[in-house]
């Protein structure tokens, strides 16, 4: 039985990846931070099948101990300070988790067992002010947020440990990927949650920032499969994981409101408070390398993704209203 360790297992990607690996017959361990308010709702349905361990990307010794105790064959480093706007408010903490934290984990691998395969969650936010369209593995980085800058460090330190110590370390440069499990702080979930609340008469309006921003949106459930596939290859490498199609925030809004039978113009207001200090205007990735190397392709379309999220949120609020 193969053993996998997932950092960030309580997040959107971590929960989907844990499900996927359990189906593959893995023994799955998940790293969680000690916190006063522990949130396990995304993994509640599989909690009895996974081994949760306390450790922290800010604490080197806890990582070494974690690897010694769990002895994983594969590590998926999904933990990070992952909400871009917060990275301006807490830029140093973002660097500690999202940049230096990667080094601590890689160094733990170097010290405990260099045969462990390592996956690093890189991000399309590293491209930022894009140099070419679409973005590929060779496109230069120009991050536009402390989060993006930290992810660039994490990406290159992964490459450095691969080349310096022969560790099987891969980075997946994942473009935006969403799901019903997305956190409410993200614009996609904010939209679908807002649509559900308006549809059921709980709210009347939805306030958003820059509606012209364009993103390459896919389904998180498709993207975690690509993470696993990278670690099954003969040689470690880095891959862009994306749909190759771009849509604006406005496109997302129109599709979400339309699916719920609502007119978006009557409910959506633009609020300057939600505009970033430095905006990333257009992200669109080319997944050609991943497609050629190991046959990965996204399965869920943009429309299917939006509708899946809207339906989930409407049902969620219907249950809450029913149970009151």
């Amino acid at each position: 039985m193969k053993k996998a360790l997932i950092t960030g297992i309580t997040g959107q990607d971590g929960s989907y990846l844990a499900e996927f690996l359990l189906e593959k017959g893995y023994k799955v361990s998940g790293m969680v931070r000690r916190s006063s308010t522990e949130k396990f709702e995304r993994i509640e349905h599989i909690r009895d099948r996974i081994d949760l361990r306390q450790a922290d990307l800010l604490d080197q010794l806890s990582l070494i101990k974690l690897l010694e105790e769990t002895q994983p064959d594969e590590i998926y480093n999904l933990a990070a300070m992952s909400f871009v706007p917060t990275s301006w408010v807490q830029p140093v903490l973002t660097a500690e988790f999202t940049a230096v934290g990667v080094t601590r984990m890689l160094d733990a691998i170097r010290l405990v067992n260099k045969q462990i395969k390592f996956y690093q969650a890189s991000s399309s936010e590293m491209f930022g002010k894009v140099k070419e369209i679409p973005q590929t593995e060779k496109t230069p980085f120009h991050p536009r947020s402390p989060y993006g800058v930290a992810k660039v460090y994490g990406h290159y330190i992964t490459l450095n440990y691969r080349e310096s110590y022969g560790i099987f370390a891969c980075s997946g440069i994942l473009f935006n990927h969403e799901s019903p499990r997305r956190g409410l702080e993200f614009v996609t979930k904010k939209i679908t949650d807002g649509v559900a609340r308006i549809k059921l008469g709980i709210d009347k309006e939805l306030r958003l920032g820059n509606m012209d921003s364009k993103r390459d949106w896919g389904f998180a459930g498709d993207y975690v499969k690509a993470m696993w596939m990278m670690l099954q290859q003969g040689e470690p490498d880095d891959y862009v994981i994306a749909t190759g199609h771009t849509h604006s925030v406005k496109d997302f809004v129109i599709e979400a409101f339309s699916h719920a039978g609502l007119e978006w113009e009557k409910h959506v207001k633009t609020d300057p408070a939600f505009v970033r200090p430095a905006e990333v205007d257009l992200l669109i990735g080319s997944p050609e390398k991943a497609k050629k190397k190991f046959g990965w392709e996204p399965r869920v379309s943009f429309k299917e993704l939006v509708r899946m999220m809207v339906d989930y949120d409407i049902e969620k609020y219907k249950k809450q209203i029913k149970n009151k």
Side-chain angles (χ1 to χ4, degrees):
M1 182 185 281
K2 271 192 173 181
K3 292 181 282 189
L5 171 65
I6 304 171
T7 74
I9 194 168
T10 59
Q12 170 188 258
D13 292 8
S15 65
Y16 280 110
L17 179 60
E19 285 175 350
F20 178 81
L21 293 176
L22 286 169
E23 286 174 15
K24 289 282 180 189
Y26 278 68
K27 179 182 179 184
V28 177
S29 297
M31 186 185 96
V32 292
R33 295 177 66 217
R34 178 78 182 91
S35 110
S36 55
T37 54
E38 294 179 329
K39 294 183 177 179
F40 297 125
E41 61 263 26
R42 292 188 184 96
I43 55 168
E44 203 59 59
H45 62 297
I46 53 170
R47 196 170 169 185
D48 60 338
R49 298 169 63 200
I50 54 182
D51 175 28
L52 294 180
R53 301 288 184 118
Q54 284 188 2
D56 200 311
L57 287 176
L58 303 186
D59 187 335
Q60 182 76 62
L61 285 175
S62 73
L63 298 179
I64 292 169
K65 187 182 176 196
L66 177 65
L67 267 56
E68 288 174 342
E69 289 178 348
T70 58
Q71 297 183 9
D73 299 293
E74 300 169 0
I75 294 175
Y76 296 86
N77 186 40
L78 311 185
M81 180 76 84
S82 61
F83 185 45
V84 176
T86 303
S87 73
W88 274 286
V89 183
Q90 298 180 306
V92 177
L93 189 61
T94 298
E96 284 287 352
F97 275 116
T98 310
V100 185
V102 184
T103 316
R104 293 190 187 101
M105 183 60 87
L106 284 163
D107 223 38
I109 292 172
R110 181 181 67 84
L111 293 166
V112 176
N113 178 8
K114 287 198 287 187
Q115 299 310 306
I116 296 170
K117 292 184 176 183
F118 179 76
Y119 171 84
Q120 166 60 13
S122 287
S123 167
S124 59
E125 289 286 331
M126 300 188 307
F127 294 120
K129 195 173 183 179
V130 299
K131 305 295 185 187
E132 62 181 3
I133 297 169
Q135 292 90 57
T136 72
E137 293 79 5
K138 295 180 179 178
T139 302
F141 300 135
H142 187 147
R144 298 270 281 171
S145 67
Y147 170 78
V149 173
K151 278 292 186 185
V152 170
Y153 177 99
H155 182 83
Y156 277 125
I157 202 68
T158 300
L159 174 64
N160 186 259
Y161 269 66
R162 179 165 81 213
E163 293 178 349
S164 302
Y165 301 112
I167 294 170
F168 193 110
C170 300
S171 286
I173 308 172
L174 270 58
F175 279 64
N176 294 65
H177 46 289
E178 319 296 318
S179 76
R181 299 178 194 173
R182 196 51 145 159
L184 193 51
E185 66 270 26
F186 292 88
V187 68
T188 49
K189 186 67 169 179
K190 185 177 178 182
I191 293 165
T192 61
D193 183 85
V195 166
R197 292 173 68 86
I198 291 165
K199 177 71 175 176
L200 297 174
I202 302 166
D203 276 343
K204 290 184 178 179
E205 71 172 28
L206 174 64
R207 292 183 170 270
L208 297 170
N210 182 7
M211 299 247 299
D212 296 322
S213 282
K214 292 182 177 179
R215 292 290 185 273
D216 184 327
W217 276 302
F219 173 52
D222 289 341
Y223 285 39
V224 298
K225 185 179 180 181
M227 300 175 186
W228 174 78
M229 292 173 89
M230 285 178 213
L231 296 194
Q232 312 316 308
Q233 302 311 300
E235 296 292 330
D237 206 345
D238 305 325
Y239 299 90
V240 163
I241 303 299
T243 69
H245 302 285
T246 189
H247 298 274
S248 66
V249 173
K250 189 175 180 180
D251 293 336
F252 201 105
V253 166
I254 292 168
E255 185 61 40
F257 275 87
S258 171
H259 182 57
L262 298 167
E263 294 179 47
W264 72 271
E265 297 96 333
K266 292 182 178 179
H267 304 283
V268 178
K269 301 281 190 296
T270 303
D271 190 337
F274 296 117
V275 177
R276 297 178 184 180
E279 184 58 85
V280 176
D281 297 315
L282 172 63
L283 290 173
I284 176 169
S286 169
E288 284 305 305
K289 182 177 173 182
K291 186 178 177 180
K292 285 177 184 172
K293 282 284 184 79
F294 48 82
W296 181 85
E297 287 186 88
R299 292 185 175 183
V300 177
S301 71
F302 175 73
K303 279 191 173 185
E304 288 169 334
L305 173 65
V306 178
R307 292 174 179 187
M308 176 200 306
M309 292 176 69
V310 170
D311 290 343
Y312 175 87
D313 286 333
I314 288 174
E315 285 306 309
K316 177 186 70 178
Y317 281 113
K318 278 183 178 177
K319 284 178 187 173
Q320 287 181 14
I321 292 167
K322 188 180 177 182
N323 293 332
K324 274 187 177 178

